Amino acid sequence: MYELGVVHQDISRASRTDVETLTPLGVSTIHEAMGRTGLLRPYIRPVYHGAAFCGTAVTVLLQPGDNWMLHVAVEQVGPGDVLVAACTTENEDGFFGELLATSARARGAVGLVIDGGCRDVAALEKMDFPVFSRAVNAKGTVKATLGSVNIPVVCAGALVRPGDVVAADADGVVVVPAEQAAEVAAAGRRREENEEGKRERFAAGELGLDMYGMREPLRAAGLRYVGGKQGEQA
């Protein structure tokens, strides 16, 4: 049951060091480093090409067709924060646009994830304020019904708590629990280092079939090569 009509002003954020370490890893690597958990549903997409960010969550619970609480949430934003907005029920109205983005950036926000609609996309791209949304929709909203700010929310299928790390890029959006940020950052770095070695081997012509020892399991599973060079290798 969501808590309505409340703004929690004191939240514990993941450390800036951990956020900075996670930032260059990217969504796919972070997701894998967490045991393939933390992804938001893939319908959440960037509103313009090249949008990306990594920051700490200020969460917002919206009512359908009402962006009142986004204005309330902007006051709670600090440098490096990401607004993460969920809705009490599915809604694709245009909750967020250029003016709110301008206000959020002035407070230090680095982006928005919203399980709802966004508008003013050309202006957002021009100012390079990254937004990941459920829809692009010019339909406006009202300011009439209370939600909440800085409570745990479920956004596009993922639990997001105030202060968690949220990363977004062309591959999607992933949330890292604040208390796991250092562990995930370390695991992500190890994964990157491992992949660099594999990248070099692939570039030199080695096949995944051999690098990962796939040939015998494939043979045991009944895979057959018929004629040609592959048949000789098998």
Side-chain angles (χ1 to χ4, degrees), residues 156-190:
L159 175 64
V160 187
R161 302 167 308 164
D164 286 346
V165 181
V166 180
D169 61 25
D171 288 335
V173 182
V174 66
V175 56
V176 181
E179 68 275 12
Q180 296 179 29
E183 176 186 352
V184 172
R189 285 197 306 271
R190 291 194 297 271

Side-chain angles (χ1 to χ4, degrees), residues 48-63:
Y48 62 84
H49 179 72
F53 57 72
C54 185
T56 45
V58 168
T59 63
V60 191
L61 181 65
L62 301 169
Q63 299 283 359

